[in-house]
Amino acid sequence: AATLAVMDGILTLAGRCRLQQEIRKSRFLAQAAPIDGEAAASAFIEQVSDPGATHNCWAWRDGPRYRFNDDGEPGGSAGRPILAAIDGQGLDQVAVVVTRWFGGTKLGVGGLVRAYGGCAAECLRLAPRELRVQRLRACVRCGFADAPMLYSRLQEFDARRLHEDATSDAVLLTIELPRTRLDAFDAFVRDLTRARGSVSVEVPSR
């Protein structure tokens, strides 16, 4: 699954999911959701955390960025195992909150690692998933003579025309295409224009 995500896009959740488990009299509730950035992760964590519970531990992953929190549990016993559950299944752009209601029996650090990590992993394992293709916006510059061929080949790269303009000596075309097709498209434009054309990435979009 992790390899698929790297090759074709991001493997994330198709929607929210939850799973409840009882472990040595403590009740654990894992809740997970797809996110799009840190603000979305923070909003989800705040929304599903129960202020009346003993602990609301969480983790999220969004590309290279991640955060986790033990919320009063011993350091490394909750947030990091939840993050490991996300990474272990090759998921990205996901936040998980595991809420615990203490039942009177201490689990020890090892028991907490297994409980928080295991509950998060099982919740994610059962959740529906989707492949989210990352798309980029790019500006293409080419000569007038090359433009018809460029237009005719856009579909091969799953590229969409967004806007076009022209200068006195070139066509300027703004397109959107999958991130994974960018290198091949750039090579095509260089070949088509004999290296006189260019492709420059503007801003990422989803």
Side-chain angles (χ1 to χ4, degrees):
T3 303
L4 180 66
V6 170
M7 288 174 58
D8 298 321
I10 286 175
L11 189 64
T12 189
L13 300 181
R16 294 191 179 191
C17 59
R18 52 190 283 145
L19 176 84
Q20 186 168 291
Q21 292 182 336
E22 185 171 314
I23 301 170
R24 295 179 64 185
K25 299 183 180 179
S26 281
R27 183 159 61 96
F28 290 83
L29 174 63
Q31 300 182 80
I35 59 164
D36 188 3
E38 184 171 358
S42 298
F44 171 71
I45 292 163
E46 183 177 354
Q47 181 183 29
V48 303
S49 293
D50 183 347
T54 317
H55 305 280
N56 292 281
C57 306
W58 52 263
W60 58 262
R61 160 78 67 188
D62 183 17
R65 297 177 300 163
Y66 64 89
R67 285 188 63 194
F68 55 85
N69 190 294
D70 295 314
D71 192 33
E73 293 282 32
S77 67
R80 189 175 287 279
I82 296 170
L83 180 65
I86 297 171
D87 292 344
Q89 299 194 38
L91 294 168
D92 201 348
Q93 294 184 350
V94 169
V96 180
V97 178
V98 181
T99 301
R100 180 191 184 194
W101 292 265
F102 182 56
T105 302
K106 291 187 177 182
L107 300 181
V109 172
L112 290 172
V113 169
R114 289 188 294 273
Y116 280 102
C119 192
E122 185 67 5
C123 177
L124 294 172
R125 188 181 70 81
L126 297 172
R129 305 175 180 198
E130 70 175 9
L131 194 64
R132 183 180 293 176
V133 176
Q134 288 184 301
R135 298 184 70 87
L136 300 173
R137 193 170 295 172
C139 181
V140 186
R141 181 187 179 94
C142 70
F144 290 106
D146 296 322
M149 177 62 74
L150 175 67
Y151 292 156
S152 71
R153 298 282 298 277
L154 288 177
Q155 191 172 357
E156 294 178 27
F157 299 93
D158 192 18
R160 295 197 292 262
R161 291 163 64 171
L162 301 179
H163 177 73
E164 57 186 279
D165 204 349
T167 65
S168 59
D169 62 347
V171 173
L172 304 176
L173 178 66
T174 302
I175 65 167
E176 188 187 69
L177 79 168
R179 178 184 58 81
T180 52
R181 306 304 300 275
L182 180 63
D183 289 346
F185 182 72
D186 183 51
F188 159 69
V189 171
R190 286 201 312 269
D191 183 57
L192 173 68
T193 63
R194 300 170 193 80
R196 290 193 294 269
S198 65
V199 178
S200 56
V201 174
E202 289 186 353
V203 293
S205 62
R206 295 189 177 102

